[in-house]
Structures are given as structure tokens and as C-alpha cells.
Amino acid sequence: MSEQQTFDVVVIGAGPAGYHAAIRAAQLGLKTACIDAALGKDGKPALGGTCLRVGCIPSKALLDSSRQYWNMGHLFDQHGISFKDAKIDVATMVGRKDKIVKQFTGGIEMLFKANKVKAFFGFGTLHNGNVVKVKQHDGSEVELKGTNVILAAGSDSIELPFAKFDGDCIVDNVGALDFTEVPNRLAVIGAGVIGLELGSVWKRLGAEVTILEALPDFLAVADAEVSKTAAREFKKQGLDIRLGAKVSATETKGKGKKKEVLVTYSDAKGEQTLTVDKLLVAVGRRAATKGLLADDTGVKLNERGQIEVDAHCHTGVDGVWAIGDCVRGPMLAHKGFEEGIAVAELIAGLPGHVNFDTIPWVIYTEPEIAWVGKTEQQLKDEGVPYKVGSFPFAAVGRAVAMAEPVGFAKVIAHAESDRVLGLHLVGANVSELVHEGVLTMEFKGSADDLARICHAHPTMSEAIHDAAMAVDKRAIHKAN
Ligand code: FAD
Ligand code: NAD
């Protein structure tokens, strides 16, 4: 082993959380190293974590390709556009996705160089005394010591014991982003974010998609009205979502192109079977802590296997922090971004802070689903008095002009103070609109503030304006 190298900050993991922490720490003048073990499809080191390699960005690339294809068959005729023999070339579509991934993972390497973050490519293990031993891809080992160490190891897919990933027929997100052709029949276990997004991709391209969800309610994390509208639209699109479906066994049969998976599950009607060509297991992710911590570090894991941290992402061990998917809170890239920046700033003596109450959620289906803040159900459970205003996109000029009338905006405000407590959206491009709610809530604004802000006409954002006015029964474009 070579001589120990010392840094102000050593980050383990160069995903969204880790690379934000590393770059911000370096910007603040701290001598910073960042270690990542991941390899790209080409077998070369690829920075950027799950998000850039096999998560947010590649899934959105395929969602966009498949949306264009779907719209040709389902939207263009309304505009008077017709065409003959539309075809999808999966290799080109996946190749486009791979180029985007390469561009962005390479971009992180460039940003590290530009900010003087020293990158190490290999697997890091934290030892007592803030020492990190790195097993590099060439087999050599280096030892780093950080005044501060930030653990940003991310998460891995949860595997079900009766549906082990085989990289071919039974896959997680990694496999489902790389199918070489459109499967005739695809089953998905889990109607969560990945199941809905990747199920939508292959449905739009022509697969028969069945989603098996163990819980009796669809998308219970979202506002109930939003989930209801989304479920109705997904059904119209042909996504077969079966609720209360508990999978108990899978069996792979046949060989080569004839390989198929027999899925056994039970629901209210009893035991059922389903035969498919591909099975995507998307039942959640767990913190990737295997091999990360030597026995003597003092860093604790909680009952869910996540690294235990306080509200400021400190582990309780001097100079050791943890951020992103490997700690509590939603597994979202932008939550990791904010924690990474906050921890780097705290290390530099600045007042780093994350407001966990204003983290937006987006599900990139069609319609898109987006929200920030509390749902009505949560407020009821907490006994908080609230009032609601909602407005349908069907009454928004821009939405109708775009032939995208589905969905609505819903503003929830405190019954007495009028302070905005939540914004819930379902409709076209609402991923871009949700930030109006984030901003209002960050600045502790009221529904009246939103109602008095001038919104450009015609835009989709007018739904939020009218919804805010509807909170006090003064929406202009609908009966109150
Ligand atoms: P990760 O991105 O998982 O990065 C951790 C990195 O650390 C990895 O590169 C790993 O190789 C490395 N590592 C781990 N342990 C070690 C070690 N011991 N030594 C060296 N390196 C190590 N979130 C959104 O906000 N929006 C989306 O649209 C979205 N879409 C998604 C789609 C899919 C299909 C998936 C799977 C996830 C999606 N997510 C999305 C979630 C998002 O990808 C994660 O929340 C985010 O990547 C977490 O960032 P992170 O930095 O904590 O961890
Ligand atoms: P998820 O938690 O969103 O959904 C998992 C679903 O599987 C849940 O509905 C759960 O009830 C169900 N489930 C669990 N065990 C089951 C079983 N045995 N049988 C049937 N159903 C079962 O998890 P995910 O979809 O795997 O995504 C993982 C994480 O990645 C999410 O928490 C999310 O934070 C993140 N992600 C975010 C985005 C985005 O922001 N657009 C996109 C993809 C992933």
C-alpha cells in the first residue's frame, strides 16, 4: 500500500449526493477527494451514481423517446397529422440513452477536474479514525485520511427471494433500461415510481404490461384525488395495475428467445398465475452499506439498514457525515443534492441547511404527477385545519390548445393563516410547475400571495393561479 494521503474532506460515493458535497467542499477551499466504485456499460469508471448511470437520466431519456412514439399513435391525429408505418428502433433508442449517460457521467469527471476534486476509482471502506481504504480497479490499494468523511454510498434494488435477478428475464431498473427489443409481455412487481415509469416506457412501445402491487391502494403516497386521476389515465393507456396482489413464486422456463417467466400471486380472487417474457422487480431500494464500514468505526445503522444521522446529516462520530439514499428521508436525487451542499457548508463553518418540508416529488408518467408539502390525508391525520382550491387543466387555454386537458392543480392552505401547506398536480409537464409551490412554501407564502401573482397567459401555470383563487372561492374561470 502507498503512503497515506490526507484531505480535508473524503467523500465515498460520487452520486448526486456525493458529487454535490465534493464540488461544494472544493469550491469552499477544502482539499477534497471523492471515491466511486461504479463502472459504466463500457467497463470504464463512471461517476454520477445511480441517477446518471441507471436512474433519473436514462429513465427520462427512454420516457421521452417512448412518449414521442406514443403521441404519434394517440395524439397527432387530433392535430390533423397522419403518417404511415411508424416504427421504433429499440437499439437506436437505447443507444441515444447511452450517449446521454456517457455525456453526463463524463461531465462529472470534468467538473471534478475543474474544481480540483481528486477522484479515486475503486471501493472505499471507512475505518476507525476517519481512514478510508480504497481498493482500486487495478487491484492496488490506497489509504486516505479525511478530517471529515462524507458517506454517500447510495442505494441498491431490493431483491425478492422468490424472484432473483438473472440479468435476462428477471431484472431490476438496470435490465429494464436495456431491453434489446420490446417484450411482448412484461410484468412488474411494485406499482411505485420505478414500476410506473418503466412500465409506461415499455407499454407505450407496445408491450402488454401488468403491474402487481401488494398494497390495496394505488399510489398511497400521493394525494388521493391525484392518484385516482392518474389510475384512470393509466387504465385508459392499457396499463393493467392489479392491487392487493402478493407474489409468492416465479419460475423461468424455456430457452433463448422462448424463455418466459411464470409468476404466481394471490389477490382477493385467490391464487393466480401470469406468464410473461420479462419481469421487472421494483419493490423499493435499500441503503448500500455492504462493505462500507469496518467494525471499528462507531457509525450506526438503523433498523432499516440506513446510516443513522441527525437532522444535519452527522453520524455522531467525530467528522463523519452521511447523505443521500443511504440515510433517512426520500430517495430522491435532489434531496441528496441539497444534503451534499449543506454538509459541505457545515464543514466549512457556514450555516448549511435542508428544508425537508419542501422537497418536491415528481413521477414522470403521462400524465405527470408532482407535489410538494402535505396531502389532505396527512393534514386530516395531524388535525390541521385546511382549505382547498383546485382547478382543472380542461379549463386552461394552453392545456386545451396543446390537446393536454387531463388533470388539475390543487392548492391546500391553512384554514386560518392561509399559508400554503401543499401543491398537488397531475397533468402534462407538471414537473416544471411544482416549483411554484416549493417557492411559495419556502417563502412562507399564502394562497392569497399565489392568487395575486401575475401569471402569463396562456400558460399551464394559470391552473395554479385559479386553484389559489379557488381556495377562497373566487376562481374566475370556473363556478365556485
Ligand atoms: P447513488 O446515486 O446511488 O450513488 C452512490 C454512488 O456511490 C454509486 O455510484 C456507487 O457506486 C458508489 N458507492 C457506493 N458504495 C461505495 C463504496 N463503498 N466505495 C466506492 N463507491 C461506492 N430520483 C429523482 O430525484 N428523480 C428521478 O427522476 C429519479 N429517477 C430514478 C429512476 C430510477 C430507475 C432509479 C433506480 C432511481 C431514480 N431516482 C430518481 C432516485 C435517484 O437515482 C437516487 O435518489 C439518487 O441517485 C441517490 O443519490 P446518492 O448520491 O445518494 O446515491
Ligand atoms: P417505491 O417505494 O416507489 O415503490 C415500491 C412499490 O412496490 C410500493 O408500491 C410497494 O407497496 C410495492 N411492493 C413492495 N413489496 C412488494 C411485493 N413483494 N409485491 C408487490 N408489491 C410490492 O420503490 P421503487 O419504485 O422501487 O423506487 C425506489 C426509489 O427510487 C423510490 O423510493 C424513489 O424515491 C426513487 N425513484 C424516484 C423517481 C422519481 O423521482 N421520479 C423515479 C424512480 C425511482
Side-chain angles (χ1 to χ4, degrees):
M1 189 179 325
S2 56
E3 207 178 307
Q4 190 182 66
Q5 301 180 41
T6 57
F7 292 89
D8 296 318
V9 179
V10 174
V11 185
I12 305 184
Y19 83 74
H20 272 69
I23 292 173
R24 187 71 190 118
Q27 282 175 349
L28 290 165
L30 299 164
K31 187 183 171 199
T32 305
C34 187
I35 308 154
D36 199 288
L39 300 174
K41 261 175 98 172
D42 57 5
K44 294 186 181 147
L47 302 175
T50 303
C51 170
L52 295 190
R53 285 183 295 105
V54 289
C56 322
I57 298 302
S59 62
K60 268 77 249 179
L62 297 192
L63 277 158
D64 205 63
S65 298
S66 60
R67 188 174 62 87
Q68 312 265 15
Y69 182 72
W70 174 267
N71 283 349
M72 286 177 81
H74 295 84
L75 191 71
F76 281 19
D77 58 338
Q78 290 185 45
H79 294 277
I81 302 168
S82 59
F83 50 86
K84 267 192 190 161
D85 297 334
K87 287 193 190 74
I88 180 82
D89 180 53
V90 173
T92 305
M93 180 184 78
V94 170
R96 185 186 90 97
K97 180 265 293 177
D98 290 342
K99 265 195 213 144
I100 295 167
V101 168
K102 198 133 184 68
Q103 178 188 335
F104 279 85
T105 54
I108 303 299
E109 211 170 326
M110 279 169 21
L111 287 172
F112 274 7
K113 280 190 187 130
N115 286 283
K116 302 196 172 45
V117 173
K118 172 98 177 98
F120 289 90
F121 301 104
F123 192 87
T125 301
L126 176 68
H127 291 257
N128 187 23
N130 295 4
V131 170
V132 179
K133 293 185 183 167
V134 186
K135 276 208 175 79
Q136 301 189 107
H137 296 306
D138 63 5
S140 65
E141 204 169 292
V142 283
E143 192 172 295
L144 316 179
K145 186 172 168 74
T147 311
N148 288 276
V149 175
I150 304 176
L151 305 169
S155 62
D156 293 320
S157 307
I158 293 177
E159 192 170 53
L160 295 172
F162 46 81
K164 296 260 184 207
F165 302 128
D166 62 13
D168 178 14
C169 285
I170 304 181
V171 296
D172 65 356
N173 55 297
V174 180
L177 288 165
D178 265 341
F179 289 152
T180 51
E181 55 188 44
V182 180
N184 287 324
R185 299 159 302 174
L186 168 69
V188 182
I189 307 183
V193 198
I194 294 180
L196 292 172
E197 289 188 356
L198 294 182
S200 292
V201 165
W202 297 105
K203 171 71 220 166
R204 293 168 188 173
L205 300 176
E208 195 178 287
V209 177
T210 310
I211 306 185
L212 303 170
E213 166 60 49
L215 294 179
D217 295 320
F218 174 66
L219 211 56
V221 287
D223 174 86
E225 278 184 89
V226 167
S227 304
K228 199 170 151 202
T229 300
R232 190 188 63 218
E233 293 305 313
F234 297 154
K235 192 170 179 192
K236 275 196 219 158
Q237 290 161 18
L239 273 179
D240 181 358
I241 301 173
R242 301 184 189 173
L243 300 174
K246 296 190 176 64
V247 179
S248 53
T250 65
E251 191 188 344
T252 305
K253 296 172 164 180
K255 279 197 177 134
K257 290 225 167 225
K258 293 218 167 111
K259 244 180 169 179
E260 52 186 27
V261 188
L262 177 73
V263 182
T264 306
Y265 68 96
S266 56
D267 63 10
K269 292 183 210 140
E271 191 168 282
Q272 322 255 11
T273 56
L274 181 70
T275 302
V276 292
D277 306 296
K278 301 280 181 191
L279 173 65
L280 163 61
V281 181
V283 294
R285 297 176 65 81
R286 68 161 59 99
T289 53
K290 195 171 165 208
L292 177 69
L293 305 166
D295 293 338
D296 56 359
T297 62
V299 174
K300 290 194 185 72
L301 302 184
N302 66 19
E303 69 288 350
R304 298 184 59 198
Q306 299 159 324
I307 298 170
E308 197 135 310
V309 286
D310 64 16
H312 303 290
C313 300
H314 196 265
T315 62
V317 174
D318 211 17
V320 183
W321 312 74
I323 55 177
D325 276 13
C326 65
V327 301
R328 49 67 196 126
M331 289 185 165
L332 296 172
H334 42 281
K335 177 259 194 185
F337 291 173
E338 297 307 319
E339 286 181 332
I341 290 173
V343 165
E345 293 186 345
L346 287 168
I347 289 171
L350 297 172
H353 174 71
V354 180
N355 183 357
F356 291 98
D357 293 335
T358 56
I359 294 172
W361 273 86
V362 177
I363 305 178
Y364 296 82
T365 44
E366 197 72 23
E368 288 186 347
I369 296 166
W371 73 91
V372 58
K374 302 274 169 126
T375 62
E376 282 196 63
Q377 195 55 52
Q378 284 170 324
L379 293 170
K380 270 185 200 139
D381 293 346
E382 290 168 18
V384 177
Y386 65 89
K387 47 190 179 169
V388 175
S390 64
F391 195 80
F393 284 114
V396 174
R398 184 73 190 282
V400 176
M402 296 191 323
E404 298 277 13
V406 167
F408 59 86
K410 172 168 166 178
V411 173
I412 307 182
H414 194 282
E416 287 135 28
S417 69
D418 195 40
R419 195 161 146 181
V420 173
L421 302 174
L423 173 66
H424 301 271
L425 301 153
V426 55
N429 297 333
V430 295
S431 50
E432 304 294 344
L433 296 187
V434 70
H435 301 96
E436 193 162 342
V438 177
L439 215 60
T440 308
M441 288 176 63
E442 271 298 335
F443 289 108
K444 302 186 172 33
S446 63
D448 187 52
D449 289 327
L450 260 180
R452 288 183 189 281
I453 289 168
C454 182
H455 287 67
H457 175 74
T459 60
M460 298 290 280
S461 74
E462 286 175 284
I464 298 176
H465 189 233
D466 256 306
M469 294 179 86
V471 168
D472 285 327
K473 307 207 179 325
R474 55 186 160 120
I476 301 293
H477 299 96
K478 73 166 197 178
N480 289 289

